[in-house]
Amino acid sequence: MTHSLFPQHDHDHSGCTTNLMKFADRYCQQAGLRLTKLRRTVLEQVASSHKAIGAYQILDNLAADGQKLAPISVYRSLDFLQEAGLIHRLESTNSYFACQRNFDDELDQESPSTLHKCSEASSLVFLICEECGVIGEVEGASIGALISTVANSEMFKVDRSQLEIKGTCQTCQNSS
Amino acid sequence: MTHSLFPQHDHDHSGCTTNLMKFADRYCQQAGLRLTKLRRTVLEQVASSHKAIGAYQILDNLAADGQKLAPISVYRSLDFLQEAGLIHRLESTNSYFACQRNFDDELDQESPSTLHKCSEASSLVFLICEECGVIGEVEGASIGALISTVANSEMFKVDRSQLEIKGTCQTCQNSS
DNA sequence: TGCTATATGGAATAATATAACAAAAGTTGG
DNA sequence: CCAACTTTTGTTATATTATTCCATATAGCA
């Protein structure tokens, strides 16, 4: 199954969340990472939409649910989730969104090696819709290759990179 | 004259600064922008090295020089300089660095049209050395083309983009 | 169980950025 | 040059984002 990078605004999001949490559970289990209750709760918050969310927004949402946390608790969970490659941070807006590049297909497979690991990706490419806030993450391979070329010409040794592209998604272009 | 993206750490920086300020004066004059005393002072701070500097570091430096400012004053100047394309902001570190892509050659020409305008560049590419902090800005044309390709395949309408590449510069690789 | 490493709680504070309004300086048309 | 207007800067307060430090709790393991 192939999923659209920018879903319709009125799509049923519960499936996205379910799949993502299911993947997170399996991935952490298999990788020996502890997806604790707190971390899971924070991930649910981040995964609650295809938009990016700020740490203090998460804090407020959880407080509204009766779970009062200190900022540091949320930041620690966000750090963990980012390390695990389950979420990414948008540097330009100090906010976080869930990685959607973990294919549904893989949930039914046994082999751990097929599980996508964004934690190991050194070249991240994000399309950020400035109208609806939705983030689309694209395969960074071709960009990665170009980055290598550019860097090599300067004899620059690349550790990691992040490309944030801002504009308008197809869905918003259609609805205007 | 062609200048290295990553100069030797002990290079004589005064020339860089002089050229940059000279260009800034000419560019603002020609573009009808007011490079006021305050803005010029802030630009001098940002241009004082090839590294990125934070707003509060600028504030502290100026205070040490006897010029006590409010944060907002510095931020306003930084905004102006960024709009003018004279400096850039590193999103991942909340810091600012001077654009070095304004060729010395152009200072001697009369035609304003040859003046480089980063303010109009929609595709910025930065190489950030994590050892020495020096930033190299590279021509984003090829990356820009690739971004268009990627975006087009998603029917995403690009407004602007910024690519931050972190690693180690040639100079630091040599000195380790 | 007890030891150890990891995770969370709690308070305070640091670091980054902006809002709102007043005063000063520059610009323009009479 | 003056008066009206626009732009820039000053001043104070506050918002937003993130971390330090130390105590407590929980999980994994000998």
Side-chain angles (χ1 to χ4, degrees):
Chain A
M1 164 231 175
T2 152
H3 60 282
S4 166
L5 213 51
F6 290 92
Q8 292 302 120
H9 293 161
D10 60 356
H11 78 290
D12 176 16
H13 189 63
S14 61
C16 307
T17 312
T18 305
N19 280 340
L20 194 144
M21 295 309 297
K22 200 168 150 196
F23 174 83
D25 286 330
R26 264 199 51 166
Y27 174 66
C28 287
Q29 149 98 59
Q30 168 246 302
L33 298 172
R34 290 171 54 196
L35 189 58
T36 62
K37 193 170 169 187
L38 177 62
R39 290 165 175 172
R40 209 171 182 286
T41 303
V42 171
L43 179 56
E44 278 169 355
Q45 283 295 318
V46 179
S48 67
S49 82
H50 295 283
K51 308 180 187 187
I53 188 174
Y56 279 79
Q57 181 66 59
I58 295 173
L59 213 50
D60 291 349
N61 291 352
L62 293 181
D65 287 354
Q67 186 167 7
K68 309 231 167 137
L69 295 167
I72 184 68
S73 293
V74 170
Y75 279 107
R76 283 194 283 226
S77 289
L78 289 171
D79 285 349
F80 167 85
L81 296 168
Q82 201 182 346
E83 284 276 312
L86 294 169
I87 68 172
H88 299 297
R89 180 186 150 89
L90 277 193
E91 304 290 3
S92 60
T93 53
N94 307 317
S95 56
Y96 306 80
F97 66 97
C99 177
Q100 304 283 349
R101 290 178 59 203
N102 306 306
F103 309 121
D104 308 356
D105 314 348
E106 299 184 356
L107 289 171
D108 300 322
Q109 299 182 4
E110 281 311 310
S111 167
S113 68
T114 64
L115 292 174
H116 171 71
K117 297 185 195 178
C118 259
S119 59
E120 290 171 6
S122 68
S123 186
L124 302 173
V125 183
F126 308 137
L127 297 171
I128 303 155
C129 179
E130 294 189 298
E131 290 199 23
C132 67
V134 169
I135 320 290
E137 184 180 351
V138 304
E139 176 52 56
S142 53
I143 298 266
L146 185 50
I147 286 171
S148 297
T149 306
V150 168
N152 285 344
S153 76
E154 301 291 340
M155 311 230 264
F156 188 90
K157 192 164 136 240
V158 176
D159 174 27
R160 65 198 185 284
S161 69
Q162 184 157 321
L163 171 57
E164 300 190 6
I165 305 173
K166 299 196 180 170
T168 311
C169 75
Q170 167 72 353
T171 306
C172 283
Q173 287 173 60
N174 287 342
S175 65
S176 65
Chain B
M1 164 231 174
T2 151
H3 61 283
S4 166
L5 213 51
F6 291 91
Q8 291 302 119
H9 293 161
D10 60 356
H11 78 289
D12 177 14
H13 189 64
S14 61
C16 307
T17 312
T18 306
N19 280 340
L20 194 143
M21 295 309 298
K22 200 168 149 194
F23 174 83
D25 286 330
R26 264 199 51 168
Y27 173 66
C28 288
Q29 150 97 59
Q30 167 246 301
L33 298 173
R34 291 171 54 197
L35 189 60
T36 62
K37 194 171 168 188
L38 177 62
R39 290 165 175 173
R40 209 171 183 285
T41 303
V42 171
L43 178 56
E44 279 169 354
Q45 283 295 318
V46 178
S48 67
S49 83
H50 294 283
K51 307 180 188 186
I53 187 174
Y56 279 77
Q57 182 64 60
I58 295 173
L59 212 50
D60 290 349
N61 290 352
L62 293 180
D65 287 356
Q67 185 167 7
K68 309 228 167 140
L69 295 168
I72 184 72
S73 293
V74 170
Y75 279 107
R76 283 194 284 227
S77 288
L78 290 171
D79 285 348
F80 167 86
L81 296 167
Q82 202 182 344
E83 283 276 312
L86 294 168
I87 68 172
H88 300 296
R89 180 186 152 88
L90 278 193
E91 304 289 3
S92 60
T93 53
N94 308 316
S95 57
Y96 306 80
F97 66 96
C99 178
Q100 304 284 349
R101 291 179 57 203
N102 306 306
F103 308 120
D104 308 356
D105 313 348
E106 300 183 353
L107 288 170
D108 299 323
Q109 298 181 4
E110 281 309 312
S111 167
S113 67
T114 64
L115 290 173
H116 170 71
K117 296 185 194 177
C118 260
S119 58
E120 291 172 8
S122 67
S123 187
L124 303 173
V125 182
F126 308 138
L127 297 172
I128 304 155
C129 181
E130 295 189 296
E131 289 200 22
C132 67
V134 168
I135 320 288
E137 183 180 351
V138 304
E139 177 53 55
S142 52
I143 298 269
L146 185 50
I147 286 171
S148 297
T149 306
V150 168
N152 285 345
S153 76
E154 300 291 340
M155 312 230 263
F156 188 90
K157 193 163 136 242
V158 176
D159 175 29
R160 64 198 186 284
S161 68
Q162 185 158 321
L163 171 56
E164 301 190 5
I165 305 171
K166 300 195 180 170
T168 312
C169 75
Q170 168 71 352
T171 306
C172 283
Q173 286 174 62
N174 286 340
S175 65
S176 64

